[in-house]
């Protein structure tokens, strides 16, 4: 029981602080940027998001490394709950979507996310 229950309880806690220093994040960002295929970058970003609490700015930096708006939105869906300052997400991530369809998809996700999000 002990450790696994404790880790499970910690994992389910909302993100409150960054888990990556600026130096660590910059190293990881360069690593992701060096991957030549979008699918590889996507998988690495998903892994980073799953295992860390990020700031909105860090998430945005990673999302710029993806070429397609649909791929960015796929990451946002998973990453929004792994950001310790989620109140900044709506405005900060808006500029990642420049096509009409991308903007519509982002706005639709945003409305759903804001509706489901617990109020602090």
């Amino acid at each position: 029981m002990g450790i696994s229950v404790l880790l499970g309880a910690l994992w389910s806690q909302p993100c409150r602080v960054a888990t990556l220093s600026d130096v660590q994040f910059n190293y990881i960002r360069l690593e992701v940027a060096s991957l030549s295929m979008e699918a590889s970058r996507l998988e690495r970003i998903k892994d980073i998001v799953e295992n860390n609490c990020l700031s909105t700015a860090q998430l945005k930096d990673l999302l710029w490394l993806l070429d397609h708006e649909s791929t960015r939105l796929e990451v946002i869906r998973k990453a929004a709950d792994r950001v310790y300052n989620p109140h900044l997400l709506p405005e900060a991530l808006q500029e990642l979507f420049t096509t009409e369809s991308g903007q519509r998809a982002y706005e639709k996700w945003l409305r759903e996310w804001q509706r489901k999000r617990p109020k602090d």
Side-chain angles (χ1 to χ4, degrees):
M1 179 169 153
I3 284 284
S4 63
V5 171
L6 179 62
L7 289 176
L10 287 174
W11 183 251
S12 66
Q13 294 297 311
C15 286
R16 297 286 183 216
V17 295
T19 56
L20 295 171
S21 69
D22 287 345
V23 170
Q24 290 170 313
F25 178 77
N26 288 335
Y27 176 81
I28 286 171
R29 189 186 177 290
L30 287 172
E31 175 198 336
V32 173
S34 74
L35 299 171
S36 60
M37 294 180 57
E38 172 136 341
S40 301
R41 292 192 303 271
L42 174 62
E43 287 309 309
R44 184 64 182 113
I45 289 170
K46 283 181 175 179
D47 184 53
I48 293 163
V49 166
E50 196 174 289
N51 293 298
N52 294 283
C53 286
L54 304 173
S55 71
T56 294
Q58 288 173 331
L59 176 60
K60 184 176 175 182
D61 278 353
L62 290 174
L63 292 170
W64 278 121
L65 299 174
L66 298 169
D67 300 325
H68 301 96
E69 292 180 1
S70 59
T71 310
R72 291 174 184 166
L73 191 56
E74 181 183 336
V75 171
I76 290 170
R77 283 187 176 106
K78 296 188 180 342
D81 294 331
R82 304 295 305 152
V83 172
Y84 67 83
N85 53 355
H87 62 282
L88 298 176
L89 284 174
E91 190 173 326
L93 301 184
Q94 184 82 43
E95 69 185 85
L96 291 163
F97 300 92
T98 56
T99 66
E100 191 176 326
S101 62
Q103 289 170 352
R104 277 197 313 268
Y106 174 72
E107 288 166 7
K108 180 178 184 232
W109 167 82
L110 186 58
R111 284 190 304 273
E112 292 168 4
W113 177 72
Q114 288 174 326
R115 202 170 46 246
K116 288 189 275 186
R117 195 167 158 239
K119 304 297 177 235
D120 293 327

